[in-house]
Amino acid sequence: MRSSLIINGWLLLCGGILLGSCNQNKKTIEQAATPQTALTSKPTLVYRPTGPDPAVADLLPISGDTLIAVKNYGGLTVTTDAGRHWKGQNDQRQNPDFLFIKDLTIDQHHVLWGLDSWPGIHEAPYSRLSHSTDFGKTWTQQQFNPTTFFPYTIYSSPGQALQIVTYDGNVCQIQDQIGRKWKYVKTISELNQRVNDTIYDDGYVAGARFKFLKTGQVFSRSSKGWKPVATAGFINWVDDVCSCQGSTYITGRNSAAAPPNNYLIRAANGRVQDTIRIQQEQLRLRCDSKGRLWLFNFRGIWEKSGKSILKRY
């Protein structure tokens, strides 16, 4: 059973693969990863697109006016004045400290965690976890064996203990300071990468915390099931959903239009309150500690200001 997953050097894997069983009552997972190494040499690059900025893979609001953006082509860029100025770091491929990650978060101990995973098509699959205790100046990386433990995405919110989702849809929480011991938390079937392309017709976004039906209905997950957020019948696709300052924001589009119409939608009290037509598509959302809404995609970063979307990167 998934609820009795164990690994303490020998046991059950959080990814759902049986390595051997010794004590079915334990819930601690110890993943045998390759030894930790500081980023003192350029890592082997797999599926590394090359191209110019400003493509952004992830955006992490820290506090106040400080945000860290993950560059889609490697490295980070940091702002301490809400996007007026940015400074790159770990972003020079020729340097030993070059960092390639796709997801970034910060835990309750102010440790940065970055995850890079790839399911493999013509290349072998991999999963690599990097962490920094000095706000990104230096990083330490370890690589997992995806046949036994396959962290696929980060699940936890900033400021929480690190949780990841495995390729099979299991949520696991870190149990040490370096990412070698993990505890099974729960299974989210909608996040099972092995089957989600074939058995689910609904669109699940933001770690399956929200879902979107093609009829335009948006729901949020609660302990009692799915709770209606709003109905936006003028869109047939949702890119992201984010709660911010008592409202729920949605980015989506009507792909039947030519060209497609893209929208930023604010919902509250069970219905759509405001709608902004936007030029950009596939926009993801983040809310910072000051209640500001941020949008980002492969073309940059924007801040919502009233009815305007201001380019910040």
Side-chain angles (χ1 to χ4, degrees), residues 76-294:
L76 308 172
T77 184
V78 182
T79 179
T80 58
D81 57 6
R84 273 66 176 179
H85 303 88
W86 295 84
K87 181 178 181 181
Q89 64 183 46
N90 307 108
D91 58 354
Q92 300 300 308
R93 287 177 176 271
Q94 69 275 15
N95 291 348
D97 66 348
F98 176 75
L99 179 72
F100 189 94
I101 58 175
K102 298 171 185 173
D103 302 310
L104 180 67
T105 193
I106 188 168
D107 68 14
Q108 76 275 37
H109 303 300
H110 308 292
V111 176
L112 290 173
W113 295 91
L115 183 64
D116 175 22
S117 65
W118 175 244
I121 297 179
H122 303 295
E123 312 88 355
Y126 67 84
S127 181
R128 302 175 184 132
L129 183 68
S130 303
H131 75 274
S132 173
T133 59
D134 55 10
F135 203 64
K137 294 180 180 179
T138 59
W139 292 82
T140 302
Q141 183 185 85
Q142 62 174 309
Q143 182 160 323
F144 300 101
N145 181 350
T147 62
T148 56
F149 187 58
F150 197 168
Y152 195 67
T153 60
I154 291 174
Y155 182 76
S156 53
S157 299
Q160 299 178 347
L162 177 66
Q163 292 184 346
I164 55 87
V165 180
T166 69
Y167 196 74
D168 289 321
N170 296 325
V171 178
C172 301
Q173 182 168 311
I174 196 168
Q175 297 296 291
D176 61 7
Q177 296 180 345
I178 59 176
R180 292 178 63 86
K181 294 183 179 181
W182 300 84
K183 179 181 179 181
Y184 170 82
V185 177
K186 60 182 176 180
T187 297
I188 302 178
S189 58
E190 297 91 343
L191 297 181
N192 187 334
Q193 296 296 311
R194 299 186 189 280
V195 299
N196 67 358
D197 289 334
T198 58
I199 68 173
Y200 293 108
D201 293 326
D202 302 329
Y204 295 89
V205 294
R209 294 178 176 90
F210 297 88
K211 77 172 179 178
F212 172 74
L213 304 183
K214 296 301 182 181
T215 54
Q217 295 170 288
V218 179
F219 298 85
S220 63
R221 188 191 293 271
S222 70
S223 59
K224 297 181 180 180
W226 292 101
K227 177 182 177 181
V229 173
T231 298
F234 51 91
I235 61 174
N236 58 14
W237 187 265
V238 162
D239 292 307
D240 204 3
V241 183
C242 175
S243 298
C244 191
Q245 273 198 325
S247 296
T248 300
Y249 288 90
I250 304 159
T251 50
R253 59 187 181 272
N254 178 3
S255 60
N261 295 324
N262 301 287
Y263 300 93
L264 172 64
I265 302 164
R266 183 179 72 87
N269 301 318
R271 58 184 181 180
V272 172
Q273 301 293 330
D274 298 300
T275 302
I276 301 175
R277 285 279 298 272
I278 53 179
Q279 297 294 322
Q280 298 296 323
E281 62 180 1
Q282 299 178 15
L283 282 164
R284 296 170 63 192
L285 302 168
R286 296 290 185 267
C287 184
D288 68 15
S289 61
K290 292 187 174 181
R292 293 171 297 198
L293 187 72
W294 297 85

